[in-house]
Amino acid sequence: MMFRVPDFGVDYFPIEGVDSLLIDSNAIIAYLLPSEDFHFACKCFITYLIKNDVELKISSATVNEVLHITSKVLYIDYFITEKLHSGEIQIEEVRQESNRLYDQWSRMQKSDDPSMRGLIGHFNEMAVLKFRPFYEICTLIPVDESIVQSAFSVFSEIPLGSSDAIIYSTALASASGLVTVDKDFKHVMDRTHLNIYYSSTKNRHFQYEHMVDKLDIRDVVDYFDELGEYYAQ
């Protein structure tokens, strides 16, 4: 029987009977990066799952996306911070500058300039260091033939985009549900056979200290913060 959970960014709920959950790439990225809109919600919920011994699973299809986006966001965040501190840009110019850096990153990836390749390599390495502690506590689920065949049906019948269809099919085959902040899944919740744990609560609306205490995850949050700092050294 499907269980439609409340928004995990605003409510507490028990997870008895949930032995494993597949974590979508967008939720992983939000968990890893404080600048992401859903960072607080994903950090608290995933930490809550860890403390309650829910097995976390990730699809092999998400690893590339997580590394690619994390590297790019770390690059943008670094230079935005530098420019704000130096006074080169003001707060109201952050969005425009972020868009410029986004385009610059795309051009850099196509460049043969050794300095550009070196800069990309640096932020790629930082992305690996950021992702590795989380990756190492998860179970990797390969995209095999049965998942692909299932995704073919999901792609046309629900319908979902091709990458979402792969994630949906992987979760259906291997876990008790899916953790995501992808609004495309919210729109199809009532037409799926999968328990979808979803949040639309952005950082500015999230009561971080309240939820950390309510979920009783203070010790785990502190531990993983320290672990991330260790890997970054």
Side-chain angles (χ1 to χ4, degrees), residues 33-209:
L33 301 174
S35 62
E36 290 294 291
D37 283 341
F38 304 103
H39 173 68
F40 289 155
C42 289
K43 181 175 182 178
C44 285
F45 184 62
I46 292 174
T47 301
Y48 172 63
L49 298 177
I50 293 168
K51 182 164 185 175
N52 286 275
D53 297 321
V54 175
E55 183 181 7
L56 306 184
K57 297 183 177 182
I58 58 175
S59 168
S60 59
T62 69
V63 173
N64 173 66
E65 183 178 4
V66 169
L67 289 174
H68 173 71
I69 294 177
T70 299
S71 179
K72 177 171 58 180
V73 172
L74 289 173
Y75 165 79
I76 293 171
D77 287 352
Y78 174 81
F79 283 102
I80 288 292
T81 301
E82 288 290 298
K83 290 173 184 289
L84 283 171
H85 285 172
S86 68
E88 186 176 341
I89 63 171
Q90 303 302 313
I91 290 293
E92 60 270 18
E93 300 173 293
V94 166
R95 182 181 296 276
Q96 181 180 354
E97 182 62 16
S98 295
N99 291 337
R100 190 190 70 80
L101 288 167
Y102 181 96
D103 292 338
Q104 182 173 292
W105 177 264
S106 299
R107 292 194 300 272
M108 285 168 53
Q109 289 189 310
K110 301 174 184 177
S111 173
D112 294 327
D113 185 326
S115 64
M116 296 294 100
R117 303 308 303 172
L119 192 60
I120 289 175
H122 169 74
F123 284 99
N124 284 353
E125 180 181 5
M126 295 304 295
V128 171
L129 290 172
K130 194 79 171 173
F131 179 44
R132 188 189 299 278
F134 182 79
Y135 173 81
E136 291 183 348
I137 64 170
C138 294
T139 300
L140 185 68
I141 307 299
V143 178
D144 59 19
E145 178 65 20
S146 64
I147 289 174
V148 172
Q149 291 297 330
S150 172
F152 287 160
S153 298
V154 170
F155 180 62
S156 58
E157 292 173 6
I158 289 183
L160 284 168
S162 57
S163 59
D164 288 344
I166 290 287
I167 295 304
Y168 175 96
S169 297
T170 305
L172 194 62
S174 66
S176 302
L178 172 69
V179 177
T180 186
V181 289
D182 184 344
K183 63 184 179 181
D184 289 341
F185 282 104
K186 180 183 180 182
H187 296 157
V188 300
M189 278 185 177
D190 294 331
R191 288 180 283 152
T192 71
H193 301 287
L194 179 67
N195 292 326
I196 298 175
Y197 296 73
Y198 172 81
S199 179
S200 60
T201 305
K202 295 186 177 182
N203 294 337
R204 64 179 178 272
H205 300 303
F206 188 81
Q207 299 180 19
Y208 183 77
E209 294 298 327

